[in-house]
Amino acid sequence: MRAEGTSEGTIATLKAFAAKVGKTVVVTTDSAGFAVNRVLAPYLFEAIRLFEQGVPADDLEKGITKFGMPMGPLALLDEVGLDTCAKVIHQMNTAFGARLAPPALLASLEKLKLLGKKGGKGFYLYDQSGKRLGYNPDVLALQPKTLSPRKVEEIQDRLVLAMVNEAALTLAEGIVADPADLDVAMILGTGFAPFRGGVLRYADQVGVGTVLQKLEALEQVAGANYAPAALIRRLAAEGKCFHS
């Protein structure tokens, strides 16, 4: 993380050291969430919103693993820790305002004092070895009695495009200098489907114009978190991609 007074020499020294110990370096500015948490937070945020709206847990999990993620968003929330995720979402809300206002379900999860995998209970239940035993009935009980199944494509768009949009904002704000760096950070830092090349490479494959149309539609039905980033609008208007 580059601070206001960090010199280029310091950055070069740190990158060289990291390379010697076998680490991949992505330089960011000092901003809320940096790069990985900044882009991942809306994905987790929208997964919680869909769950509280009655989308079956299996629909969420299978929709995202079919996209190529190593695990579904609910399993990821448990892996990270529900207390940690709640803290990150609250921080993102403070930094970026109402579009990332914590979902109502988050308060219910906090009242249950669920920690996720490390505490043996989260969206899933776990045995002493950390193996998932099935969904937690206490959390399933927080959903509406009448569930609202969604198509795989809808779930994938709702969750993945939240990351695409946030990645565009992150790039435009100069948090990360290069789209390739952001893609590497998301693949290595979150397990984003490697064969898709990263969040922004995926947007290029879909077509930035198509991404824009989908975000505009999602904004109408799912709120301000999908208001298309100005960078996406500009690239679509110019017929360009994130990657040259």
Side-chain angles (χ1 to χ4, degrees):
M1 282 74 76
R2 183 194 299 273
E4 186 175 341
T6 305
S7 70
E8 291 301 323
T10 299
I11 295 293
T13 300
L14 289 171
K15 290 175 73 172
F17 170 76
K20 285 183 178 180
V21 297
K23 299 295 182 181
T24 299
V25 174
V26 173
V27 179
T28 74
T29 59
D30 187 4
S31 176
F34 305 113
V36 171
N37 284 342
R38 169 77 183 271
V39 176
L40 186 65
Y43 168 82
L44 299 178
F45 168 87
E46 294 298 340
I48 294 172
R49 285 185 67 199
L50 286 171
F51 183 86
E52 74 179 7
Q53 291 166 9
V55 178
D58 262 358
D59 285 9
L60 289 170
E61 300 293 79
K62 291 178 181 178
I64 289 303
T65 54
K66 285 180 179 178
F67 180 82
M69 303 298 197
M71 65 181 70
L74 305 182
L76 180 58
L77 283 158
D78 278 358
E79 288 283 339
V80 174
L82 294 183
D83 55 335
T84 301
C85 290
K87 183 176 181 180
V88 169
I89 289 175
H90 286 304
Q91 289 175 340
M92 294 296 102
N93 176 219
T94 299
F96 303 110
R99 73 181 178 87
L100 288 177
L105 182 72
L106 195 63
S108 299
L109 295 174
E110 290 176 307
K111 286 181 181 178
L112 290 174
K113 300 185 184 301
L114 300 175
L115 300 179
K117 183 178 179 179
K118 63 188 177 186
K121 290 183 179 181
F123 282 94
Y124 290 88
L125 298 175
Y126 299 84
D127 65 17
Q128 292 184 343
S129 69
K131 180 182 178 181
R132 290 198 294 268
L133 300 175
Y135 295 112
N136 184 348
D138 292 338
V139 176
L140 294 182
L142 299 174
Q143 287 191 292
K145 290 183 179 180
T146 301
L147 296 180
S148 177
R150 307 288 176 90
K151 293 181 179 179
V152 169
E153 294 79 8
E154 182 180 352
I155 290 170
Q156 291 175 351
D157 280 350
R158 180 82 179 259
L159 298 183
V160 177
L161 293 183
M163 283 193 282
V164 170
N165 203 39
E166 201 68 33
L169 291 168
T170 301
L171 189 65
E173 292 169 18
I175 307 304
V176 176
D178 186 89
D181 285 345
L182 188 51
D183 281 343
V184 166
M186 294 306 295
I187 291 171
L188 298 182
T190 73
F192 187 91
F195 71 92
R196 296 190 183 275
V199 176
L200 296 176
R201 182 69 72 181
Y202 169 71
D204 286 350
Q205 292 166 355
V206 171
V208 179
T210 300
V211 168
L212 174 60
Q213 291 174 356
K214 289 187 174 187
L215 286 172
E216 288 175 334
L218 284 169
E219 183 184 7
Q220 296 301 312
V221 299
N225 197 34
Y226 294 96
L231 177 58
I232 290 176
R233 291 190 180 280
R234 178 173 64 79
L235 291 176
E238 295 174 356
K240 294 182 178 179
C241 298
F242 287 101
H243 292 267
S244 58

